Amino acid sequence: LIPSWGNEAYVSQTATAAGAASDIAQIGDLNIADVTQSGEAALSLVYQGTLGAGSAGNEAQVLQGGLLNESQIQQDGVQNLALVYQDGLGDFSLIIQDGALNGAQTEQTGILNDSRVGQFGEGNTALTLQSGFGAVSTILQGYYIYSDYGTAGVLQRGDYADSYIDQDGLYNEAYVVQSGDTETSSVSQTGILHLADVVQSGSNDISDVLQTGHFTTAYVAQGGDNGGSNIAQSGFGNTA
């Protein structure tokens, strides 16, 4: 049975949530899911659409408190939006959005930050904010389907952070700001009229920008010692 209609689901767990867990699956129509957990061994999975054609209004918010955090959200079709906020220690967030207006935001605070966002098709926007040592952010926009007018933004505060952004399509923009030492940023863009803007303010930072296509623009600013920057552009009308 696939027919669904006004879906909504809310979960809230606290009493500092001890062995918390949550699992929500929604298949068709007006979807919304809201999960609040407050700490300990929290885990939350929200599906929506569940890889079929039956999605519609999508949304999903997860808020977790500190300790072993993890959140996975998968949304399939139409209006998409997903926000995840995590509050430190085991952090892990995976958001996959598969079509239409997209939107995604991940905020993580402290220790093992790892954020992964995949957006395929239509109005993509992804923003990742991370604080802590060794944070990793991966954003893929387009990938197996060209995606136009996407924006990806990464802000990392802390040493040894790593940011990777891959965008395929037209008019995409990537912004990376890193404020710690020994950080790396990699931006790869394929298509036309892309912009990559990277700012690194610490020492020993590395930036790598690869743009394949025409009329692309790359800006890299590094403010610390012993930084390294590589910009490779192929096509015509490109600026760096």
Side-chain angles (χ1 to χ4, degrees):
L1 294 176
I2 294 188
S4 315
W5 179 236
N7 325 311
E8 292 195 24
Y10 313 94
V11 177
S12 182
Q13 301 172 334
T14 123
T16 63
S22 169
D23 175 35
I24 296 174
Q26 310 183 74
I27 291 184
D29 302 349
L30 302 180
N31 326 307
I32 288 182
D34 185 354
V35 180
T36 304
Q37 305 180 108
S38 210
E40 291 294 317
L43 160 76
S44 168
L45 308 170
V46 178
Y47 307 102
Q48 310 198 130
T50 62
L51 300 177
S55 321
N58 316 316
E59 177 168 351
Q61 303 183 6
V62 180
L63 176 66
Q64 306 187 117
L67 197 52
L68 294 180
N69 323 312
E70 167 165 349
S71 168
Q72 301 196 12
I73 295 174
Q74 165 211 309
Q75 309 184 104
D76 301 321
V78 198
Q79 288 191 284
N80 318 316
L81 162 73
L83 305 169
V84 180
Y85 172 78
Q86 305 183 125
D87 191 29
L89 193 54
D91 308 320
F92 166 80
S93 172
L94 171 65
I95 298 173
I96 297 176
Q97 298 174 318
D98 191 44
L101 303 181
N102 310 318
Q105 176 166 336
T106 307
E107 291 192 30
Q108 307 185 102
T109 302
I111 320 272
L112 300 177
N113 301 320
D114 182 353
S115 172
R116 306 173 200 184
V117 177
Q119 298 174 314
F120 313 113
E122 305 298 335
N124 321 308
T125 294
L127 174 62
T128 300
L129 308 176
Q130 296 174 315
S131 296
F133 182 91
V136 177
S137 171
T138 302
I139 297 174
L140 306 179
Q141 294 179 323
Y143 203 54
Y144 67 89
I145 298 173
Y146 262 30
S147 186
D148 303 334
Y149 301 97
T151 300
V154 177
L155 173 60
Q156 295 174 317
R157 299 187 183 98
D159 298 337
Y160 294 95
D162 186 7
S163 170
Y164 176 75
I165 296 174
D166 186 300
Q167 298 174 312
D168 295 339
L170 307 177
Y171 301 99
N172 293 316
E173 298 182 354
Y175 300 93
V176 179
V177 177
Q178 296 175 317
S179 60
D181 295 331
T182 318
E183 296 180 311
T184 63
S185 170
S186 176
V187 177
S188 177
Q189 297 174 317
T190 301
I192 299 174
L193 291 162
H194 294 317
L195 169 66
D197 190 334
V198 178
V199 177
Q200 296 173 315
S201 59
S203 299
N204 304 310
D205 293 336
I206 301 294
S207 171
D208 189 2
V209 177
L210 172 62
Q211 295 176 317
T212 303
H214 310 308
F215 304 108
T216 62
T217 301
Y219 300 109
V220 177
Q222 295 177 318
D225 299 329
N226 301 316
S229 173
N230 178 57
I231 298 174
Q233 297 173 316
S234 61
F236 56 81
N238 299 318
T239 305

